[in-house]
């Protein structure tokens, strides 16, 4: 029998009631993920369990590398079954790692597999998964629908045609698949590829860039987009002539850190004002230190498992940036995420500086993200929010995933949420006021996001 029981993670009777009565069957709004829209539109069929479970999943790749497995058997040309078997060999060593829980939730929820995955069970589990993957119910679209997903927000470059979002809408796919505006390539003036990107979009001046961004924001809005997303290794804030800085970059000059901050501030501020005009939500993902391993970046490219947590100070520049927008009534609804849990209280207190009617919790503290979407990380984020703000107004969990079987992460989060609240209630820190407990739990799981984003 699987260790994933009915009451997995739920320690007390209150936690069990909160989960089973209020959280378990709520629909999912996955408002930030990295699913490929083409795969959804094409109703992709997965050739085998390696592609489904390990294709593109750098969380798993990192642990396989830690176990000393050769890259050929992780991302290379090795046999798919042998790569799956290598992961199965590693998995039992991941005690305390969310991958152990996620993997077994995925196997149980989608394939009805109760056995623990290990090298000993790998072949039988491989065969059963592949047998089921051949069936239509395991296509990309059916995996989404059978996971009770109501809305998916993908992550998309401004230059994207959004043709696959349009196709899904035209085909009448029951789950809304909406784009998210991610203009990092226009913002990161000193990153490799900036010049090539600017050339490809046909922009020759800073004013042209801003006009292009505005037109793309409007195009995304017409196609259902209601969120943007920005990845900020550091939070920039500076003043300067962004047009001159842009021209200097195009002429081949070096851009100093001060000029880079001024340019980024100008571009981000322009976009934020457009988001406010259209009623969007701006997401700021802060604190990743990306592409640390030059050798592997040159071999595999970005998003392959060589990123980690940055430890720079973020409070002052974040405050200045948000205040510069607030004073001119141009600060959009904003979700702040930190990759470094040292900044939980920074963000938890920053929220209160810029809340504004008529919105409830206009500024949100985003859920435990990336290296923090584990039990400790989620609890720490929610405790910080509860201590400093309004947990009952939180918009809840997202997958931030490239996997079509990552939706049990919402279940994982909901169990952790209900267990945490249940401990507070059982400890006498909150009454057994079931009316308000139901409102809180259903809100965090689904209702708050639906209201906040306007879906």
């Amino acid at each position: 029998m699987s260790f994933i029981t009915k009451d997995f993670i739920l320690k007390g009777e209150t936690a069990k009631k909160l989960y089973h009565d209020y959280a378990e069957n709520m629909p999912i709004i996955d408002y930030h993920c990295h699913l490929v829209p083409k795969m959804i539109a094409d109703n992709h069929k997965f050739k085998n369990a390696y592609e489904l479970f390990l294709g593109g999943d750098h969380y798993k790749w990192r642990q396989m590398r830690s176990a000393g497995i050769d890259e050929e058997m992780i991302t290379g040309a090795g046999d798919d079954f042998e790569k799956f078997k290598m992961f199965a060999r590693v998995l039992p060593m991941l005690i305390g790692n969310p991958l152990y829980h996620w993997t077994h939730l995925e196997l149980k929820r989608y394939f009805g597999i109760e056995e623990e995955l290990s090298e000993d069970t790998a072949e039988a589990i491989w065969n059963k998964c592949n047998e089921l993957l051949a069936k239509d119910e395991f296509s990309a679209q059916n995996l989404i629908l059978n996971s009770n997903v109501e809305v998916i927000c993908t992550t998309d470059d401004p230059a994207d045609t959004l043709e696959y979002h349009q196709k899904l809408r035209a085909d009448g796919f029951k789950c809304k698949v909406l784009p998210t505006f991610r203009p990092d390539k226009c913002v990161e003036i000193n990153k490799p590829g900036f010049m090539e990107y600017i050339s490809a979009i046909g922009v020759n001046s800073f004013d042209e860039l801003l006009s292009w961004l505005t037109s793309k924001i409007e195009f995304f809005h017409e196609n259902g987009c209601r969120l943007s997303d920005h990845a900020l290794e550091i939070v920039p804030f500076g003043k300067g002539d962004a047009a001159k800085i842009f021209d200097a970059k195009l002429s081949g000059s070096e851009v100093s850190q001060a000029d880079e901050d001024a340019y980024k501030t100008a571009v981000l501020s322009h976009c934020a004002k457009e988001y406010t005009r259209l009623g969007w939500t701006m997401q700021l993902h802060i604190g990743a230190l990306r592409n640390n391993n030059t050798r592997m970046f040159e071999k595999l490219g970005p998003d392959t498992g060589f990123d980690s947590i940055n430890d720079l100070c973020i409070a002052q520049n974040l405050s200045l940036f948000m205040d510069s927008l607030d004073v001119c009534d141009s600060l959009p609804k904003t979700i702040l995420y930190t990759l470094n849990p040292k900044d939980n209280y920074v963000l938890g207190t920053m929220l209160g500086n810029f809340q504004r009617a008529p919105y409830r919790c206009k500024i949100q503290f985003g859920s435990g993200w990336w290296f923090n979407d584990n039990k400790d990380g989620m609890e720490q984020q929610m405790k910080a929010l509860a201590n400093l703000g309004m947990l009952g107004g939180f918009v809840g969990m997202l997958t931030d995933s490239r996997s079509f079987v990552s939706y049990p992460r919402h279940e994982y989060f909901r169990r952790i949420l209900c267990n945490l609240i249940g401990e507070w209630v059982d400890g006498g820190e909150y009454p057994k006021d079931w009316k308000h407990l139901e409102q809180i739990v259903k809100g965090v799981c689904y209702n708050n996001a639906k209201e906040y984003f306007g879906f």
Side-chain angles (χ1 to χ4, degrees), residues 197-214:
Y197 186 83
I198 295 301
S199 175
I201 63 176
V203 165
N204 297 300
S205 71
F206 186 67
D207 285 344
E208 285 185 14
L209 175 64
L210 298 187
S211 295
W212 183 82
L213 284 167
T214 297

Side-chain angles (χ1 to χ4, degrees), residues 277-394:
R277 177 174 65 86
L278 294 171
W280 286 16
T281 297
M282 176 172 68
Q283 298 177 96
L284 302 180
H285 282 88
I286 301 167
L289 187 62
R290 299 177 186 272
N291 306 319
N292 294 275
N293 189 320
T294 301
R295 175 179 59 85
M296 295 305 292
F297 177 75
E298 291 175 351
K299 181 177 180 180
L300 299 176
D303 304 319
T304 51
F306 300 95
D307 307 320
S308 57
I309 295 173
N310 212 331
D311 62 355
L312 298 174
C313 296
I314 67 169
Q316 186 172 21
N317 278 0
L318 180 59
S319 176
L320 291 169
F321 174 63
M322 295 179 75
D323 187 55
S324 70
L325 294 169
D326 186 70
V327 294
C328 58
D329 201 21
S330 296
L331 179 63
K333 291 180 291 183
T334 301
I335 306 177
L336 303 173
Y337 305 83
T338 177
L339 198 56
N340 195 326
K342 77 174 177 60
D343 292 320
N344 280 352
Y345 271 49
V346 171
L347 297 193
T349 53
M350 191 68 68
L351 311 177
N353 297 333
F354 299 104
Q355 303 293 14
R356 188 169 181 177
Y359 304 102
R360 187 169 73 113
C361 300
K362 176 182 178 180
I363 313 301
Q364 291 273 337
F365 183 7
S367 64
W369 163 50
W370 198 345
F371 296 114
N372 300 308
D373 56 4
N374 50 63
K375 188 171 182 289
D376 285 350
M378 291 178 192
E379 287 182 347
Q380 288 169 16
Q381 182 269 341
M382 286 190 281
K383 286 179 178 179
L385 176 54
N387 279 328
L388 304 167
M390 187 186 294
L391 181 62
F394 177 35

Side-chain angles (χ1 to χ4, degrees), residues 105-141:
L105 280 166
E106 291 162 6
L107 288 170
K108 184 166 183 173
R109 296 293 176 248
Y110 293 104
F111 297 94
I113 293 173
E114 299 274 350
E115 296 85 1
E116 281 75 46
L117 178 60
S118 67
E119 189 171 13
D120 294 337
T121 61
E123 185 171 3
I125 289 175
W126 168 266
N127 289 335
K128 182 169 183 179
C129 288
N130 289 346
E131 178 184 347
L132 291 172
L133 285 172
K135 298 182 178 181
D136 288 343
E137 66 188 278
F138 285 84
S139 68
Q141 291 186 12

Side-chain angles (χ1 to χ4, degrees), residues 9-139:
I9 292 177
L10 306 171
K11 294 179 182 176
E13 292 306 313
T14 302
K16 294 172 186 177
K17 177 177 174 60
L18 293 173
Y19 179 72
H20 295 303
D21 288 1
Y22 305 145
E24 186 172 14
N25 297 314
M26 296 297 286
I28 289 172
I29 293 177
D30 197 29
Y31 58 88
H32 175 69
C33 76
H34 296 277
L35 293 182
V36 179
K38 184 178 188 301
M39 293 177 72
I40 306 174
D42 291 346
N43 203 15
H44 182 79
K45 293 290 292 293
F46 297 88
K47 67 177 182 178
N48 58 40
Y50 169 79
E51 183 190 9
L52 181 68
F53 288 109
L54 286 153
D57 194 337
H58 54 75
Y59 285 76
K60 297 185 176 82
W61 298 347
R62 283 173 70 93
Q63 302 311 320
M64 294 172 76
R65 292 172 188 135
S66 294
I69 293 173
D70 189 90
E71 195 66 32
E72 192 73 359
M73 299 305 298
I74 303 172
T75 61
D79 176 76
D80 282 357
F81 169 65
E82 291 301 321
K83 288 190 279 190
F84 181 82
K85 187 177 179 181
M86 290 299 100
F87 174 66
R89 176 189 295 176
V90 171
L91 191 61
M93 296 295 102
L94 299 183
I95 185 170
N97 190 302
L99 281 175
Y100 193 80
H101 293 156
W102 293 348
T103 300
H104 289 102
L105 280 166
E106 291 162 6
L107 288 170
K108 184 166 183 173
R109 296 293 176 248
Y110 293 104
F111 297 94
I113 293 173
E114 299 274 350
E115 296 85 1
E116 281 75 46
L117 178 60
S118 67
E119 189 171 13
D120 294 337
T121 61
E123 185 171 3
I125 289 175
W126 168 266
N127 289 335
K128 182 169 183 179
C129 288
N130 289 346
E131 178 184 347
L132 291 172
L133 285 172
K135 298 182 178 181
D136 288 343
E137 66 188 278
F138 285 84
S139 68

Side-chain angles (χ1 to χ4, degrees), residues 217-228:
I217 289 169
E218 290 176 345
F219 172 65
F220 270 58
H221 188 79
E222 291 166 3
N223 283 276
C225 178
R226 295 297 180 267
L227 293 92
S228 70

